[in-house]
Amino acid sequence: MMMKKRSPKNLWLIWKLVILLCIIFSITTLVRIQFYFDSSPESSSSSSSRVFNRRSHLPIWKDDEGFEGNPKIAFLFLVRRDLPLDFIWQAFFENADAANYSIYVHSEPGYVLDEMSTRTSYFYNRQISNSIKVGWGESSMIEAERLLLRAALEDPGNRRFLLLSDSCVPLYNFTYSYHYLMGSSKSFVDSFLDMKEGRYNPKMARVIPMRKWRKGSQWFALVRSHAKAVAYDDVVFPVFKKFCKRRPPLDASKGKQNLRLQKQHNCIPDEHYVQTLLAMSDLEGELERRTVTYTSWIQSATNMETRSWHPVTYNYASANPEQIKRIKDIDHVLYETEHRTEWCRSNAVLVPCFLFARKFSRDGAMRLLSQGVSGNFDTLALIRTTP
């Protein structure tokens, strides 16, 4: 049986067709890749201020070009309801130039800051209008942070974005704090490798690789470009919302159901989100990888099953001059998981690590005021006007 040979002419036509199809496929692929990296999804911010990181597929935001004016610190207060330590912040802002700062408060929905709910006019009507109900250890906490950032980003004069809680106190006066934060071109974000606790959920892997998983304090001080990266992120946040959830605590009333509940993955979003997002965006080189807000942690437990870490609360007795001096004298932080010692710098100059501290009770903050840490204030007048 003889095998029929194809004519050279037919083979040449087939090869031409194959080559043409390959060229069309290559051009189509290149166009799609270019569109993916260069297109900018709709958001509430102008697309002209960001480009895309080709390795992480996340946008890299740029500072506004041509800004002229007085740079401000946006003080972002994330509070449960009111501001119980408003009096210490009155002393802090009292001698500050109003052109150097702005104030934003996220409180519970519908709560209004006025003369009936706060003792100081610095907080009047500073609450954002689109606040949400926040649950501890839930993604709503980081969504509230993002809402504060979006509100503050509307003012082009805000160049630093400082997140504080309702139990935070200043350790220095406004002038020192202002020059400390403005003197550095970097953000201050506590960030380290999380190797021990197993909070990383493997279901995140398609978007968030484990090597980019970070942990740290949620209390940050961001430069404007990093604030935009957090506020307008639409890649990492949805993954956190879906896969980073707090395991429910043990509840005796649920009996054997606790066994099933305790098998759920345990993740605390606010201790991982900003750090992981900035690592994903390859921005860690633009950070001082530490916080400027001091917190002391203690392990409290009645038995092994309910053991957990909680921040120490400083009351009148513990907010003594010796303790405050110890906090202010700290000049480095040791990160054991990375075998890293972070010496505290601002613009390459060695400085005290912490500008603020938490958690302070009301009487602890009053004692701090009496020591003249944040400014002059008549504590007796405060006692006389207590509601």
Side-chain angles (χ1 to χ4, degrees):
M1 186 177 188
M2 292 184 66
M3 187 171 65
K4 244 183 174 180
K5 291 186 177 180
R6 296 180 183 272
S7 69
K9 186 176 180 180
N10 289 339
L11 286 172
W12 174 240
L13 288 172
I14 291 170
W15 276 110
K16 283 180 70 176
L17 182 61
V18 170
I19 292 169
L20 182 62
L21 288 172
C22 287
I23 292 171
I24 292 171
F25 177 77
S26 299
I27 292 173
T28 304
T29 303
L30 287 170
V31 169
R32 291 186 67 181
I33 291 172
Q34 188 66 30
F35 175 78
Y36 179 77
F37 284 114
D38 291 343
S39 66
S40 78
E42 289 182 2
S43 75
S44 56
S45 179
S46 171
S47 61
S48 62
S49 60
R50 66 176 178 176
V51 295
F52 277 82
N53 184 319
R54 291 178 181 267
R55 285 186 291 177
S56 67
H57 301 170
L58 289 170
I60 300 174
W61 293 88
K62 298 179 180 179
D63 273 337
D64 305 326
E65 296 180 2
F67 168 75
E68 294 181 4
N70 210 55
K72 294 189 287 187
I73 298 175
F75 288 81
L76 314 177
F77 289 89
L78 181 58
V79 307
R80 284 163 287 192
R81 182 176 168 83
D82 60 352
L83 288 135
L85 308 185
D86 53 2
F87 54 88
I88 199 167
W89 290 104
Q90 177 174 330
F92 180 76
F93 290 119
E94 216 161 32
N95 296 316
D97 186 340
N100 289 337
Y101 70 89
S102 53
I103 298 171
Y104 303 83
V105 181
H106 184 288
S107 183
E108 66 178 18
Y111 191 77
V112 177
L113 290 163
D114 55 22
E115 62 276 5
M116 299 297 292
S117 56
T118 177
R119 298 174 182 84
T120 171
S121 60
Y122 291 106
F123 291 109
Y124 286 176
N125 299 313
R126 298 292 185 174
Q127 71 281 350
I128 61 174
S129 60
N130 57 343
S131 61
I132 59 173
K133 191 71 176 176
V134 173
W136 181 84
E138 298 178 2
S139 60
S140 55
M141 179 77 78
I142 53 179
E143 178 59 16
E145 295 176 12
R146 283 153 50 89
L147 290 171
L148 280 166
L149 286 169
R150 287 176 201 162
L153 282 164
E154 291 179 6
D155 183 348
N158 290 328
R159 313 309 290 180
R160 300 293 184 272
F161 300 79
L162 175 70
L163 185 67
L164 298 163
S165 78
D166 52 11
S167 64
C168 282
V169 298
L171 296 174
Y172 297 90
N173 62 32
F174 180 89
T175 301
Y176 181 84
S177 303
Y178 179 86
H179 289 295
Y180 185 115
L181 294 175
M182 287 297 181
S184 175
S185 61
K186 295 185 175 184
S187 291
F188 295 88
V189 179
D190 189 45
S191 177
F192 54 90
L193 294 173
D194 182 24
M195 306 291 287
K196 297 180 180 179
E197 297 189 36
R199 289 184 178 178
Y200 178 79
N201 190 336
K203 294 179 180 179
M204 300 176 174
R206 288 186 63 186
V207 177
I208 305 172
M210 190 172 182
R211 70 180 185 277
K212 295 292 188 179
W213 184 248
R214 300 289 186 270
K215 185 181 178 183
S217 167
Q218 75 181 104
W219 311 107
F220 55 66
L222 301 178
V223 298
R224 190 172 178 87
S225 59
H226 298 166
K228 290 179 181 179
V230 176
Y232 304 125
D233 162 46
D234 55 7
V235 176
V236 176
F237 178 69
V239 178
F240 265 76
K241 195 171 182 178
K242 187 174 182 180
F243 295 119
C244 183
K245 297 181 179 181
R246 178 175 63 98
R247 181 189 300 148
L250 288 170
D251 186 346
S253 66
K254 293 183 178 178
K256 292 183 178 180
Q257 191 181 359
N258 279 307
L259 295 174
R260 180 180 60 82
L261 293 173
Q262 293 307 301
K263 290 180 181 179
Q264 294 181 17
H265 195 272
N266 188 42
C267 182
I268 310 299
D270 57 84
E271 294 182 0
H272 297 274
Y273 171 65
V274 172
Q275 294 82 356
T276 299
L277 172 63
L278 295 177
M280 286 275 297
S281 302
D282 296 324
L283 293 172
E284 288 185 302
E286 300 178 15
L287 307 179
E288 296 285 355
R289 292 177 62 197
R290 61 181 178 87
T291 180
V292 291
T293 300
Y294 175 82
T295 309
S296 178
W297 294 87
I298 188 170
Q299 198 171 39
S300 61
T302 54
N303 57 64
M304 288 296 291
E305 292 182 344
T306 58
R307 179 172 294 179
S308 58
W309 289 89
H310 296 281
V312 172
T313 298
Y314 291 95
N315 55 24
Y316 187 88
S318 54
N320 55 69
E322 294 75 22
Q323 179 59 45
I324 301 306
K325 185 179 186 302
R326 278 194 290 270
I327 295 172
K328 294 173 76 169
D329 283 347
I330 297 171
D331 59 6
H332 67 281
V333 182
L334 175 63
Y335 291 93
E336 294 180 356
T337 61
E338 298 179 358
H339 307 289
R340 168 171 63 96
T341 298
E342 189 78 13
W343 290 93
C344 299
R345 293 179 172 85
S346 177
N347 198 24
V349 177
L350 285 172
V351 291
C353 291
F354 302 108
L355 295 175
F356 308 92
R358 61 185 293 272
K359 298 175 62 172
F360 275 71
S361 66
R362 191 166 177 275
D363 57 344
M366 287 178 66
R367 183 169 188 179
L368 203 63
L369 271 181
S370 68
Q371 298 169 32
V373 172
S374 304
N376 299 319
F377 194 83
D378 182 1
T379 52
L380 291 175
L382 174 67
I383 295 171
R384 289 193 295 270
T385 58
T386 300

